[in-house]
Amino acid sequence: MNMETQLDPMKDDLPLMANTSYMLVKHYVLDLDVDFKSKVIEGSIVLFLETGSQYRQTSIAGKECCQSQFDETCKMRVSEPCHVPLKDVSTCLSKREYSDFAVSGKEEETTFDENSNHSNSEQASGISSSKDCSDTENHVNKDFLLVLDCCDLSVLKVEEVDVAAVSGTEKFTRSAKLTDASKELENLRNLIVHELVTLPADRWKEQLHYFTHCSQAPGCGELLFSTGTWSLEIRKSGIRTPADFPHAIRIWYKTKPEGRSVTWTTDQSGRPCVYTMGSPINNRALFPCQEPPIALSTWQASVRAASGFVVLMSGENSAEPVQLQEGMLSWYYYVSMPMPASTFTIAVGCWQEVKQQSFKQTAAETNTEFFLPSSQTDFRWHEEICGHVEYPCRFQNPAARLQAVIPYRVFAPWCLMETCEEYLLQLIPQCLSAAYATLGTHPFSRLDVLIVPSNFSSLGMASPHIIFLSQSVLPGGSHLCGTRLCHEIAHAWFGLAIGARDWTEEWISEGFATFLEDVFWARAQQLSHDEIKGQQELKALLRWRRLRDEVQNSEEELQVLRPKKESTGELSESGASVVKYGLKAEKIFMQVHYLKGYFLLRSLARTIGDASYLASLRKFVIKFHGQLVLSQDFLSMLLEDIPQQKKAGLTVESIFQNWLDTSGIPKPLLEEGETWKDCQLVQQVSGEVAKWIQTNRRIRKSSKKKMKQDEVVFQQLLPDQLVLLLESLLEEKTLCPRILQCLERTYQLREQDAEYLKSTQSVRILLVKKFHKPTRLGPL
């Protein structure tokens, strides 16, 4: 049965089609041009591949295994034309071939030539017909098929890369004991790629040098390809196993303006820009890739754009533009830490770097000393050998281990420069230092923060070396800006350096970041113990209210943090899998993974004790950085580390049952729900709510009389207190329309940030529904 045709893109699972068990991408080299007129990114990507674990483990039987996998894939796949425009075909065809196709006006029956290249019809359509799999000729059915995740792309050509033509690569084969069979040029190319991708970490610069030159090597034969709804499938005629398949291939392609991985828009100053979306389909509409988390790879990218545009990426170097010709700049980035392809991020726009006055910079840096660890015992686990694949790891670098504040930059549209300088730029070193004091070594060597356009759909998004922040966090002072910054910084450890082995376990990333944002922000503010407790209990109450509302207004199946339960982390034989409910539209806007994950971690911290709990988090980071984990990896280590918790009845199974595998509000949380009302900050809000209700009654009784300013004195509230007050008033059934005007004057609601504007807008919507007329405040 065809997998792709059975999927409803509005409500079903997101397929991860790449057959990673048979072939793994170890390195990508992107060479791209950004064209704002056509809203297209086009160019080439070179993939350096290695045979996957499933094939290597099966030895001789592996060939049969590969064959069965290929046969199964053939049954599942869809041959869907990608409709490459006729004008693009000329880049792939000779003049005569192009002319022949143009004259015929239709696709001929698919045929293959002796050199394993596309026939005219295949090149023109950009796809091989369904006969790729159903061909009656026996040899076609035995060809190995490389499957990549791909969507919303126009693939123009796929070719093998002749890495053996690169000067210097011969040294990678000198020590190899070549048999007569392996001396064949094709096997020699694969041997070079194998030696290159397995170079030790201390030779990463040399490795990057050869990746660059090998990616520029000439092609040595086109490969057959076809595209389905979610995949790009490539084969070479006569190649039966992954070991014999070309290990360096180049794909020529272009994105589509409507592609779901990129957003073409204008910034707040009206200038054109483009950035990657944290969408459910991740980066497969930006470049053909392997999307499963298990496919860890490094990458490098050269991106060209018109002068005046700045190219930012999730690269570990701070790129400096190189002028290629008049009006055109090139930007080059790379990473040496293997990461899932979904973490690749790009933003191109007329961004301005926000720079601070020297005296402000000095003041910010002096505060970082407060956050240096008081004892090196927190870092005793650094002496252990890392458990990840080999790469230049900062956790093993003595200088990096003592770096409380990594180098950082801020970029924004011109019109937001002043606001960013006033608030954001000063918060970054404080938040970085607080994160370092909590978890230790920063996993990444630098940080860019970009204020993205106003159509950005969330408050922030973290990628390696770069954070996207919404402009909504800037108004109203430092509170929301600081907490959101802390949340995204926390993702450097949980979500990026440590990733979920199954994307359905989003709580491993979002729950940890939500919990740690409170810890980081409290340290960044240098609060006392009582202040920290009060703020965190107030925050817990607000989150509990959001979780309660979400549980009441969403499908039960979307409230489960481990929807695949005992099957979590399992893959098919080929390595393909699905993201459960990954294409459900409403899931994108849900916060259940943030909230239930946060409350689970908060519950564990309260049971174990904050100091012991944070020490366990640091140990977890040291043990699992650079790796992919499942929920049980964290929970098992935590419970083993603190064996006395067995007396409390805490087990991995009980936590699964109470927190992760069921819908609704977890039972332990229901018991805790009333305790926050005793918090002093919450009681203060209750007093203010009572004043507003009394004021509301007075206004309703005498609507013609204006209330005197001195009749009621309202207290100043903390930002989170103001949110709770507005939400509490929203629940009142007899709220008068005029009360909103009083609220706005008292708390200057227009000057507040996104959280409070959202609450105010909710109040207004309720008033309009109740009284069928808008207030006179105008748009917020």
Side-chain angles (χ1 to χ4, degrees):
M1 185 175 293
N2 192 301
M3 177 177 171
E4 293 191 358
T5 56
Q6 296 298 312
L7 291 169
D8 183 339
M10 294 307 294
K11 62 182 181 180
D12 285 308
D13 306 333
L14 174 70
L16 306 178
M17 304 289 287
N19 52 351
T20 54
S21 294
Y22 294 93
M23 293 290 279
L24 271 175
V25 179
K26 304 302 289 185
H27 188 77
Y28 296 95
V29 181
L30 295 98
D31 190 52
L32 303 172
D33 289 278
V34 180
D35 187 346
F36 282 96
K37 290 183 179 179
S38 60
K39 295 184 179 180
V40 162
I41 299 174
E42 64 179 315
S44 67
I45 182 170
V46 176
L47 281 58
F48 292 88
L49 301 146
E50 184 78 313
T51 51
S53 58
Q54 181 72 22
Y55 182 79
R56 290 198 299 269
Q57 291 171 1
T58 53
S59 186
I60 297 175
K63 294 188 177 182
E64 299 175 3
C65 195
C66 285
Q67 180 57 46
S68 65
Q69 176 269 338
F70 171 69
D71 292 341
E72 180 184 354
T73 306
C74 287
K75 295 175 184 177
M76 293 171 61
R77 60 186 291 237
V78 170
S79 290
E80 176 185 305
C82 60
H83 305 297
V84 179
L86 196 60
K87 63 180 180 181
D88 299 329
V89 180
S90 59
T91 62
C92 303
L93 307 176
S94 68
K95 289 183 178 180
R96 180 173 179 177
E97 289 172 328
Y98 178 73
S99 175
D100 290 342
F101 173 80
V103 169
S104 69
K106 63 178 181 179
E107 294 185 22
E108 299 174 3
E109 184 176 347
T110 302
T111 57
F112 302 114
D113 63 25
E114 294 179 356
N115 295 322
S116 301
N117 293 329
H118 287 287
S119 68
N120 292 354
S121 60
E122 291 170 320
Q123 292 189 4
S125 66
I127 183 171
S128 302
S129 78
S130 59
K131 287 196 175 184
D132 275 359
C133 275
S134 61
D135 197 309
T136 55
E137 293 186 35
N138 195 42
H139 74 276
V140 174
N141 282 328
K142 294 181 180 179
D143 289 348
F144 169 74
L145 192 70
L146 173 66
V147 182
L148 300 175
D149 294 300
C150 177
C151 181
D152 300 337
L153 293 178
S154 295
V155 178
L156 306 176
K157 183 171 70 170
V158 183
E159 63 182 358
E160 183 177 356
V161 179
D162 187 8
V163 296
V166 175
S167 176
T169 56
E170 61 274 4
K171 70 178 179 180
F172 294 128
T173 60
R174 284 174 186 164
S175 60
K177 296 180 180 179
L178 299 177
T179 64
D180 290 341
S182 65
K183 288 181 180 178
E184 296 177 11
L185 187 56
E186 192 168 281
N187 290 336
L188 186 64
R189 296 185 191 114
N190 285 356
L191 180 59
I192 290 171
V193 174
H194 171 75
E195 294 296 318
L196 179 55
V197 300
T198 56
L199 283 177
D202 59 359
R203 296 174 65 184
W204 70 270
K205 290 184 179 179
E206 177 188 4
Q207 185 184 50
L208 200 61
H209 168 82
Y210 279 105
F211 276 140
T212 301
H213 287 281
C214 286
S215 71
Q216 297 167 354
C220 54
E222 292 189 29
L223 303 176
L224 302 165
F225 69 90
S226 62
T227 57
T229 307
W230 295 108
S231 64
L232 169 65
E233 298 158 347
I234 304 169
R235 70 179 181 88
K236 182 173 181 178
S237 183
I239 297 301
R240 314 293 173 82
T241 69
D244 295 328
F245 189 83
H247 282 33
I249 63 173
R250 182 184 290 114
I251 302 170
W252 299 89
Y253 76 98
K254 58 171 58 180
T255 64
K256 297 181 179 180
E258 68 276 12
R260 283 166 280 177
S261 296
V262 291
T263 298
W264 298 88
T265 185
T266 55
D267 66 20
Q268 293 85 342
S269 295
R271 303 295 300 275
C273 61
V274 62
Y275 62 91
T276 51
M277 280 281 291
S279 64
I281 70 165
N282 292 314
N283 279 325
R284 66 183 70 190
L286 179 62
F287 58 92
C289 56
Q290 292 181 331
E291 281 285 349
I294 197 70
L296 302 177
S297 59
T298 52
W299 61 264
Q300 62 192 97
S302 295
V303 177
R304 291 168 294 280
S307 298
F309 289 96
V310 173
V311 178
L312 300 177
M313 279 194 216
S314 49
E316 63 191 60
N317 63 311
S318 298
E320 294 294 334
V322 175
Q323 185 155 345
L324 300 177
Q325 59 194 45
E326 187 176 354
M328 185 64 64
L329 298 177
S330 177
W331 304 73
Y332 171 75
Y333 289 89
Y334 65 85
V335 297
S336 59
M337 175 183 175
M339 298 286 291
S342 60
T343 64
F344 179 97
T345 304
I346 183 171
V348 185
C350 300
W351 325 120
Q352 304 287 324
E353 183 176 356
V354 182
K355 296 188 177 180
Q356 213 165 34
Q357 298 297 324
S358 58
F359 71 89
K360 289 184 180 179
Q361 182 70 32
T362 303
E365 288 176 350
T366 57
N367 288 334
T368 64
E369 296 299 322
F370 174 83
F371 302 114
L372 289 175
S374 58
S375 170
Q376 287 301 313
T377 57
D378 285 344
F379 301 98
R380 60 186 179 276
W381 296 292
H382 281 298
E383 298 174 2
E384 294 185 3
I385 298 174
C386 294
H388 53 69
V389 297
E390 196 174 3
Y391 66 83
C393 179
R394 287 176 53 81
F395 286 80
Q396 294 296 329
N397 184 326
R401 294 206 301 265
L402 296 176
Q403 193 175 23
V405 180
I406 55 176
Y408 61 92
R409 302 182 299 178
V410 174
F411 291 88
W414 180 261
C415 62
L416 295 176
M417 295 274 287
E418 187 176 344
T419 306
C420 288
E421 183 180 353
E422 184 176 358
Y423 296 113
L424 179 58
L425 207 56
Q426 300 177 58
L427 286 170
I428 293 175
Q430 299 171 26
C431 296
L432 288 172
S433 298
Y436 171 79
T438 306
L439 296 178
T441 307
H442 289 279
F444 303 103
S445 58
R446 70 176 195 94
L447 176 65
D448 282 342
V449 179
L450 171 66
I451 302 299
V452 282
S454 56
N455 68 341
F456 187 64
S457 58
S458 66
L459 292 180
M461 186 179 79
S463 300
H465 313 284
I466 188 169
I467 288 172
F468 289 174
L469 282 184
S470 166
Q471 65 176 29
S472 300
V473 306
L474 295 176
S478 62
H479 178 75
L480 183 60
C481 189
T483 55
R484 178 48 54 169
L485 188 59
C486 286
H487 182 100
E488 304 306 337
I489 288 173
H491 277 311
W493 286 268
F494 292 95
L496 296 175
I498 300 174
R501 187 145 54 93
D502 190 317
W503 279 353
T504 60
E505 291 200 306
E506 296 171 56
W507 84 271
I508 293 176
S509 173
E510 298 300 351
F512 275 91
T514 304
F515 174 83
L516 286 168
E517 79 175 62
D518 293 352
V519 180
F520 292 178
W521 184 232
R523 286 188 167 176
Q525 296 174 94
Q526 303 185 27
L527 299 179
S528 67
H529 178 270
D530 289 342
E531 289 174 321
I532 291 173
K533 183 180 178 182
Q535 283 197 16
Q536 292 186 355
E537 288 188 351
L538 173 60
K539 200 79 173 180
L541 176 58
L542 287 171
R543 288 173 177 149
W544 185 86
R545 291 167 64 94
R546 290 175 191 169
L547 179 59
R548 177 200 62 190
D549 293 343
E550 186 156 290
V551 164
Q552 292 173 351
N553 296 285
S554 63
E555 297 179 43
E556 286 191 4
E557 62 186 14
L558 301 182
Q559 301 169 18
V560 179
L561 302 194
R562 282 202 334 149
K564 293 165 72 174
K565 296 183 173 62
E566 65 276 1
S567 299
T568 301
E570 289 185 4
L571 305 173
S572 70
E573 182 189 29
S574 70
S577 62
V578 298
V579 180
K580 197 70 174 173
Y581 310 126
L583 292 175
K584 284 217 170 192
E586 61 268 37
K587 185 175 181 293
I588 300 173
F589 303 102
M590 292 184 65
Q591 299 184 57
V592 66
H593 291 82
Y594 296 73
L595 299 173
K596 287 178 74 172
Y598 155 79
F599 279 116
L600 168 57
L601 298 176
R602 187 177 187 274
S603 175
L604 292 171
R606 286 166 58 86
T607 304
I608 295 169
D610 289 343
S612 297
Y613 183 70
L614 290 178
S616 294
L617 282 190
R618 289 192 290 271
K619 182 178 179 180
F620 183 72
V621 166
I622 296 303
K623 183 175 181 180
F624 286 102
H625 71 273
Q627 301 175 65
L628 302 171
V629 300
L630 298 175
S631 296
Q632 53 264 41
D633 295 320
F634 168 70
L635 297 173
S636 298
M637 196 213 76
L638 181 69
L639 298 181
E640 288 173 7
D641 201 39
I642 309 176
Q644 64 267 30
Q645 296 315 312
K646 292 181 180 177
K647 297 179 182 178
L650 276 181
T651 64
V652 174
E653 291 73 22
S654 68
I655 294 172
F656 280 171
Q657 184 177 357
N658 289 327
W659 290 91
L660 302 181
D661 291 353
T662 55
S663 60
I665 296 179
K667 291 181 181 178
L669 185 56
L670 286 172
E671 299 168 1
E672 191 182 5
E674 296 297 316
T675 61
W676 301 306
K677 294 182 180 179
D678 297 329
C679 168
Q680 183 178 356
L681 294 178
V682 175
Q683 289 181 339
Q684 186 179 357
V685 173
S686 299
E688 296 304 292
V689 170
K691 292 179 186 177
W692 280 106
I693 292 174
Q694 186 178 18
T695 303
N696 178 59
R697 289 172 182 167
R698 291 179 183 174
I699 294 176
R700 292 184 72 247
K701 287 181 179 179
S702 181
S703 58
K704 295 182 180 180
K705 296 180 181 179
K706 291 188 177 180
M707 187 179 60
K708 297 179 181 179
Q709 280 302 111
D710 58 350
E711 282 186 6
V712 182
V713 177
F714 296 102
Q715 296 184 34
Q716 291 296 314
L717 298 177
L718 296 172
D720 285 330
Q721 286 181 300
L722 181 54
V723 174
L724 181 58
L725 179 135
L726 292 173
E727 291 184 357
S728 299
L729 291 176
L730 185 61
E731 295 172 354
E732 288 296 312
K733 295 180 180 179
T734 58
L735 205 60
C736 174
R738 286 177 55 196
I739 206 73
L740 186 57
Q741 295 173 330
C742 299
L743 283 166
E744 189 209 9
R745 287 195 301 267
T746 303
Y747 300 115
Q748 291 85 46
L749 294 180
R750 293 179 184 278
E751 299 175 13
Q752 302 294 341
D753 56 39
E755 289 290 311
Y756 321 119
L757 291 178
K758 180 175 67 176
S759 298
T760 310
Q761 189 75 343
S762 299
V763 173
R764 174 180 299 174
I765 291 170
L766 181 66
L767 294 174
V768 170
K769 286 182 178 179
K770 284 185 177 183
F771 299 97
H772 307 289
K773 63 179 181 179
T775 63
R776 289 180 286 178
L777 290 178
L780 289 174

